[in-house]
Amino acid sequence: MSDPATSPPPVESEARASVASSTNETIAVVQAQEDEPDFTPITKDFGFLPIPKHLRHDPKHPAYFGLLLNATFGFAGTFVQFSHTFNVSYDTVSRIPTLVQVGYAVGLLLISTLGDLVRRRPLIIMLVFICASLSIGLSFTTNFAVFQALCFLTGVFTVVPQILLPLAADLAPPERRATALSIVLSGLLLGILLARVLAGVIAQFVSWRVVYYLAFSVQYVVCVWLYLVLPDYPAKNKGATYFGLLWGMAKFAVTEPQLVQAVLISIPSAACYTNFWVTLTFLLGGPPYNYSTLVIGLFGLVGMVGVGLAPPLGRLIDSLVPWFASVIACIAYIITHVIMVGADGVNVAAVVIVCIGIDVFRQMVQVSLTTAVFSLDPAARSRMNAIILISLFIGQIMGTAVGSEVYTQHGWRPAAALNLAWSGLMLFVVLARGPHVSRYTWVGWEGGLEVRKSKVTAQKRRDEEAGASDIQQGGDEKHALEEKQSVREEKDATTVGMQEVKSSETREGEKQDEDQPPIVEVATHSAE
């Protein structure tokens, strides 16, 4: 029994466990580099561009994921979106948004997965540079076919935020991972909102080409900023092939229960989001509101609340087991849609509340799911992130198509009820698989209901130490048994040797007796 005076207090023990978890994960990622005696850091990007010395990867001194780096990730996620989110009005080019979205899906599948194969610093810098250069073409081209092709390619290469997400998870310590992901996702949302507002203002007063002038200017600034701030990080899965990674991603999509659960939650989550924002235009443009297009557009700024709440939400998720954060977010999502069904067509205050709730709690769901999935395999985070994003893309298509049809045929209340049903499905899927089940358990509950992540981390640490102690003790016992067995075998060998010596002496004595003449007989002959 341990002495209370020498045992660390619970808070200190939990903190040590958290720090140990962070250290162990960092060591696991870079262990291969540390084990190589001839390891030397990479000093150039693309073979010719020097990496600033303080940004080069050093396994013994990993990059510190502080405020500057976190803000940089959010900043990059914000302004990279300028290249394809500006919704300038083209009455005759309705295919452009579709081309951009299809290109984006291709980029998610074929480019974002490269984060599990190559160094991400040069990959990110190169993608931002390509997007900026494509925006130059969009600014000056007068050929519509070329414009369409450039829009498609812009969608393909605008996946930088989706590469930044797994990189943020790698650089941030586990106890701050959800906060880092929240800020990156908030930067993405902020970029969409700013793009919509600024594009509308610019297009209202000057040529639409100014939108793309601003886009490539800002992206070149982001490119230079990332070169100066983004730390290098070693490539993962050395020896793997590109097609092998794609095959591995397909296997993850059907063999990882937690990832499949996240997909089944993400699809209705995204469907609710897009259904609301698409049908909101119809709702506010008709009775009883009859708002103008300008006023309707301003409702998008309500999403800024979600951006502002990102850090506290991230800290909340960091303090909880991700499963419980998902449950809280799903319940709040359901409550938001109950308000939507009951009052969206009655009072504009309900619309504002729903705007805030959908933005905030959808982001909370996504961050909690992504945090949980990223803990499965650090070497496969880019591929798992791509799977989640593709599921969100499917949900967006479903929400737009089905939601618009339901609204057109039945009105705003049935469309809102559809969202309520989808949010209920989300909660059902979350509850089907408990918070502490083993990795490959598909449905069920086990391991209790501990809510705090620090407690779970501390318990895992204690179990690992106990397991190591048992292994050591078992090894000692085995060694002692082997020594006893060795001593016993030596004793047995000595006993057998002594018996053989005695037996040999006995045989020699008998032989000598046979060779000596009988004493009595000799005496008799003498007498005669």
Side-chain angles (χ1 to χ4, degrees), residues 166-303:
L167 180 58
D170 287 338
L171 293 174
E175 66 273 12
R176 291 177 49 203
R177 184 169 295 148
T179 303
L181 296 179
S182 294
I183 292 176
V184 176
L185 288 172
S186 294
L188 183 62
L189 176 60
L190 179 61
I192 294 172
L193 294 175
L194 289 178
R196 287 175 178 172
V197 174
L198 293 179
V201 173
I202 291 173
Q204 182 72 27
F205 298 102
V206 294
S207 169
W208 60 266
R209 294 184 184 274
V210 176
V211 170
Y212 292 102
Y213 298 157
L214 178 63
F216 73 72
S217 301
V218 169
Q219 287 184 96
Y220 279 131
V221 171
V222 171
C223 189
V224 174
W225 180 255
L226 289 174
Y227 170 77
L228 296 174
V229 175
L230 189 64
D232 196 19
Y233 200 79
K236 300 180 180 181
N237 303 296
K238 289 187 176 180
T241 63
Y242 177 66
F243 291 104
L245 287 182
L246 294 179
W247 173 245
M249 183 170 70
K251 289 173 63 178
F252 282 135
V254 295
T255 59
E256 288 287 350
Q258 192 163 35
L259 179 59
V260 173
Q261 182 188 40
V263 166
L264 295 178
I265 296 170
S266 297
I267 291 175
S269 170
C272 289
Y273 183 79
T274 53
N275 179 26
F276 170 74
W277 285 106
V278 168
T279 58
L280 180 65
T281 303
F282 306 144
L283 174 65
L284 297 178
Y289 302 115
N290 298 311
Y291 290 152
S292 66
T293 304
L294 178 61
V295 174
I296 293 173
L298 293 176
F299 273 82
L301 294 177
V302 177

Side-chain angles (χ1 to χ4, degrees), residues 107-415:
L108 287 178
L109 180 62
L110 301 181
I111 294 182
S112 68
T113 51
L114 286 172
D116 284 341
L117 185 63
V118 302
R119 290 168 46 234
R120 282 162 290 182
R121 173 185 160 88
L123 177 63
I124 291 170
I125 293 174
M126 179 183 67
L127 290 175
V128 175
F129 182 83
I130 291 174
C131 286
S133 302
L134 289 171
S135 296
I136 294 178
L138 290 170
S139 303
F140 294 103
T141 184
T142 56
N143 186 296
F144 183 61
V146 173
F147 188 86
Q148 287 180 302
L150 290 175
C151 284
F152 174 78
L153 291 175
T154 299
V156 171
F157 291 105
T158 312
V159 291
V160 170
Q162 315 313 334
I163 299 174
L164 286 172
L165 271 174
L167 180 58
D170 287 338
L171 293 174
E175 66 273 12
R176 291 177 49 203
R177 184 169 295 148
T179 303
L181 296 179
S182 294
I183 292 176
V184 176
L185 288 172
S186 294
L188 183 62
L189 176 60
L190 179 61
I192 294 172
L193 294 175
L194 289 178
R196 287 175 178 172
V197 174
L198 293 179
V201 173
I202 291 173
Q204 182 72 27
F205 298 102
V206 294
S207 169
W208 60 266
R209 294 184 184 274
V210 176
V211 170
Y212 292 102
Y213 298 157
L214 178 63
F216 73 72
S217 301
V218 169
Q219 287 184 96
Y220 279 131
V221 171
V222 171
C223 189
V224 174
W225 180 255
L226 289 174
Y227 170 77
L228 296 174
V229 175
L230 189 64
D232 196 19
Y233 200 79
K236 300 180 180 181
N237 303 296
K238 289 187 176 180
T241 63
Y242 177 66
F243 291 104
L245 287 182
L246 294 179
W247 173 245
M249 183 170 70
K251 289 173 63 178
F252 282 135
V254 295
T255 59
E256 288 287 350
Q258 192 163 35
L259 179 59
V260 173
Q261 182 188 40
V263 166
L264 295 178
I265 296 170
S266 297
I267 291 175
S269 170
C272 289
Y273 183 79
T274 53
N275 179 26
F276 170 74
W277 285 106
V278 168
T279 58
L280 180 65
T281 303
F282 306 144
L283 174 65
L284 297 178
Y289 302 115
N290 298 311
Y291 290 152
S292 66
T293 304
L294 178 61
V295 174
I296 293 173
L298 293 176
F299 273 82
L301 294 177
V302 177
M304 299 289 282
V305 176
V307 175
L309 289 177
L313 282 177
R315 286 193 290 271
L316 174 63
I317 297 171
D318 276 328
S319 66
L320 301 174
V321 174
W323 184 90
F324 289 97
S326 297
V327 170
I328 293 171
C330 287
I331 292 174
Y333 217 43
I334 290 174
I335 295 172
T336 300
H337 288 108
V338 168
I339 297 172
M340 180 178 173
V341 172
D344 256 14
V346 178
N347 193 299
V348 72
V351 178
V352 173
I353 292 173
V354 172
C355 285
I356 296 173
I358 284 182
D359 277 340
V360 171
F361 298 120
R362 187 196 69 85
Q363 180 170 319
M364 186 174 178
V365 169
Q366 186 176 351
V367 171
S368 60
L369 293 176
T370 305
T371 302
V373 168
F374 278 0
S375 67
L376 293 175
D377 187 351
R381 282 173 178 159
S382 292
R383 284 169 288 171
M384 292 185 175
N385 186 55
I387 293 171
I388 294 177
L389 291 169
I390 291 172
S391 69
L392 289 172
F393 189 78
I394 294 171
Q396 290 171 0
I397 296 173
M398 183 174 74
T400 300
V402 178
S404 299
E405 183 66 21
V406 171
Y407 186 94
T408 302
Q409 297 294 328
H410 305 285
W412 68 268
R413 198 180 296 272

